[in-house]
Amino acid sequence: MSAEESKISKSRLEALVDGIFAFAMTLLVTGLTIPVLPGPVAAAELPALVAAMRPEFISLLIAFFILASFWLAHHRQFHHVRMVDMNLVRINLCILLCVILLPFTTSISGDYDHVRIAVDLFHFNLFFLGLFFLVHWWYVNRTPAVTNGEIPKADAGNGMRRSLIVPSVAVIGLIIAFFDPRLSMMVYLLLIPVFFLQSRFSARY
Amino acid sequence: MSAEESKISKSRLEALVDGIFAFAMTLLVTGLTIPVLPGPVAAAELPALVAAMRPEFISLLIAFFILASFWLAHHRQFHHVRMVDMNLVRINLCILLCVILLPFTTSISGDYDHVRIAVDLFHFNLFFLGLFFLVHWWYVNRTPAVTNGEIPKADAGNGMRRSLIVPSVAVIGLIIAFFDPRLSMMVYLLLIPVFFLQSRFSARY
Amino acid sequence: MSAEESKISKSRLEALVDGIFAFAMTLLVTGLTIPVLPGPVAAAELPALVAAMRPEFISLLIAFFILASFWLAHHRQFHHVRMVDMNLVRINLCILLCVILLPFTTSISGDYDHVRIAVDLFHFNLFFLGLFFLVHWWYVNRTPAVTNGEIPKADAGNGMRRSLIVPSVAVIGLIIAFFDPRLSMMVYLLLIPVFFLQSRFSARY
Amino acid sequence: MSAEESKISKSRLEALVDGIFAFAMTLLVTGLTIPVLPGPVAAAELPALVAAMRPEFISLLIAFFILASFWLAHHRQFHHVRMVDMNLVRINLCILLCVILLPFTTSISGDYDHVRIAVDLFHFNLFFLGLFFLVHWWYVNRTPAVTNGEIPKADAGNGMRRSLIVPSVAVIGLIIAFFDPRLSMMVYLLLIPVFFLQSRFSARY
């Protein structure tokens, strides 16, 4: 089998991952639906409609920076990968499935941020995205055959802790959504300033 | 002519193939249409509408993992390719045409999974996608000019058998669709656990 | 200036060109709009609606293989390019502008293949796409600074002749559109079998 | 931290940037919405509807060439970058956020070019896009750790001046939009001929 598996090159899997991340990040904009108005009333009604798009912008902002963070995390983890086997391919495909679903869950949670099922779709999407990254890191650590050289104990530990952040935040979001769907989306906003202000922490998720 | 043809580099054809596979896999999400509801009733009606999207999710899931499998198959086959000639380009373009059509046939078979013509479009799409991969592999094997070194008899045989799986499953789908369109989509679901559980088989399609 | 210009690497311009070609080819599918029907009548009405999409499929088929042909032509031409200057960048941007517009003109000419202005948009799009490729080839030939070594007189001549084919066919399409818009789209269908049957000719456009 | 940061390779950040620029440039076409008309009246009404799309075409043209210019500017600036740190990643992500929003602001300003808030969204989008490029260039200049060798004083100055052009034009657009939204979009058209006629100036934005 290893002969078979060795045919999947690391660089090409990275190319697919980078392509899908870049494309999903760009597709997020399609969630911003432009209201269709007849010429005359447009000038009068558009300002209110644009103002009403605020939650859609917030969802897009959250999804964009979280995808960017996972893209960075993927690079950090793949930095340790030397050889790609079928299991690693499978884990990466589960990650990519969560990535391509994000433009949909971002859009629906932006359009219906007051409806629990809409925001729950977003929380579940991020929960599983984070979970598969956790599995990815766990698998890379426990499989000497795929890593290039020994991974320092400290790095392995930090990596695990980092990978737990987004799934945990998503669970908090799911709980808050019971009481207030709109508020539950805000938990992720906390991650953005963190991502920009605190270098060491930004490396965490 | 060979001078002309030698101008098509393997790496650039791979880049086009990888790009189109990545885009098509990401575009699948555009098949998940978000229901437009007035604010007040949204909270009440959205849960039912999201539940009704289950077939669309299933179609997306099927299409995603089948595209991923073909992307893997393409790498396995191109592993043996040294030089790209116009015929190989033409076969690859037929493959890519089937790939770009998949987001459409996935979406329509997800929206109308109870209508035979809708699911038939999906089955035919996968049938031809698999068929062109079969032609691709057959051509690579019979054309020493494009391969890098001798392909072992065993590999060639396994490759042919693998390439027959999806077209065969698509034909079974077309037959089942006569009696029950919705059920006919489920034949592909069998391939997903297989893809994840059984390493040697997963390498088959 | 040359210092400035030398900062635009050939490989990165190729990456942008390949990316936009791959993306435009995949976006063509978005022109296939899925009819929205209430569950009950779907089974009865969908077959007729799918049959009515035939012209949209034909437009997609034409656009896909013409984009593929131009992608091949771009590789043939860039095979002779050693250094990229600002003029070459500008010509390539005009080509890319025509490429990104093609999914729109393909879709509108597919939806309204009986309306002259709709098909004319498609003909004009291909006319200018071909024209800029002609300018591209002409510029590469007359600018020793950008080519790697001497281009054989014969190659230069063939290249010019090839680059004239699509613009000429587009003009014929524009003329036929006067009398029969639907028929005018068929002129391009002639190029597809040619592309597949006749290797030397396929290299022509 | 530097160990962490060194894991983000320049080439992969470039790949993400190139990918998102290519996607965003291609997605601009989705702003050209195809009018839905019943067969019979299509022939009669389509010409007027296509003519009415002129402002959408103009917005697309502006956005396309401005994205292309920024893509060129990014290459010029990255030409000086040797090592990527987290701050540079953050600045690039802010740039990419503005890039993915452009298809939306282009489309809405094209549909409602007579409504001030619509064109203001476009002006603000370009203002921030240009601003982050200014920050990018400023950071590259003041951070020896990321540059490869000394940047000539003259280049640094030219770069700053160039980076000021688009933000300044956007501000002019915002001011003109007070009095005439439609006219305010035209300020960018001035940049296009400049981009094509004047090589040294074209390098400016």
Side-chain angles (χ1 to χ4, degrees), chain D residues 17-36:
Chain D
V17 170
D18 288 352
I20 288 182
F21 265 92
F23 302 155
M25 285 163 83
T26 320
L27 264 185
L28 289 173
V29 78
T30 57
L32 300 177
T33 44
I34 295 165
V36 179

Side-chain angles (χ1 to χ4, degrees), chain A residues 36, chain C residues 31 33 56 103-105 107-115 117-118 121, chain D residues 29-54 56-57 111:
Chain A
V36 179
Chain C
T33 43
E56 296 179 44
F104 165 72
T105 54
S107 180
I108 198 167
S109 62
D111 291 342
Y112 302 110
D113 67 330
H114 60 292
V115 183
I117 186 149
L121 284 171
Chain D
V29 78
T30 57
L32 300 177
T33 44
I34 295 165
V36 179
L37 296 167
V41 302
E45 295 182 8
L46 202 56
L49 288 166
V50 170
M53 292 177 75
R54 205 175 57 260
E56 296 180 44
F57 278 109
D111 290 344

Side-chain angles (χ1 to χ4, degrees), chain A residues 68-89:
Chain A
S69 309
F70 277 116
W71 176 78
L72 284 168
H74 191 272
H75 282 6
R76 287 218 184 70
Q77 297 187 4
F78 250 55
H79 177 72
H80 297 291
V81 172
R82 178 176 50 74
M83 199 279 275
V84 175
D85 66 8
M86 277 304 290
N87 290 327
L88 207 58
V89 169

Side-chain angles (χ1 to χ4, degrees), chain D residues 51-60 106 109-111 113 182 185:
Chain D
M53 292 177 75
R54 205 175 57 260
E56 296 180 44
F57 278 109
I58 293 171
S59 294
L60 181 145
T106 301
S109 62
D111 290 344
D113 66 330
R182 190 167 277 130
M185 296 296 288

Side-chain angles (χ1 to χ4, degrees), chain B residues 97-198:
Chain B
L97 181 61
C98 295
V99 169
I100 68 158
L101 286 172
L102 206 53
F104 166 71
T105 54
T106 301
S107 179
I108 197 166
S109 61
D111 291 342
Y112 303 110
D113 67 330
H114 61 291
V115 183
R116 206 185 122 211
I117 187 151
V119 296
D120 280 357
L121 284 171
F122 186 75
H123 295 315
F124 276 117
N125 195 342
L126 286 181
F127 174 77
F128 283 109
L129 180 53
L131 192 70
F132 287 124
F133 261 89
L134 189 63
V135 175
H136 190 269
W137 184 236
W138 166 82
Y139 183 77
V140 169
N141 278 292
R142 67 174 284 287
T143 318
V146 303
T147 55
N148 52 10
E150 193 57 49
I151 301 176
K153 279 265 166 297
D155 284 18
N158 286 334
M160 288 305 264
R161 275 186 289 282
R162 277 175 203 153
S163 307
L164 280 167
I165 290 178
V166 169
S168 317
V169 175
V171 169
I172 297 169
L174 281 164
I175 294 164
I176 298 177
F178 268 102
F179 313 105
D180 184 343
R182 190 167 276 131
L183 183 69
S184 72
M185 296 297 288
M186 302 304 140
V187 292
Y188 303 102
L189 287 177
L190 300 170
L191 297 175
I192 293 175
V194 159
F195 176 64
F196 277 90
L197 299 175
Q198 227 275 39

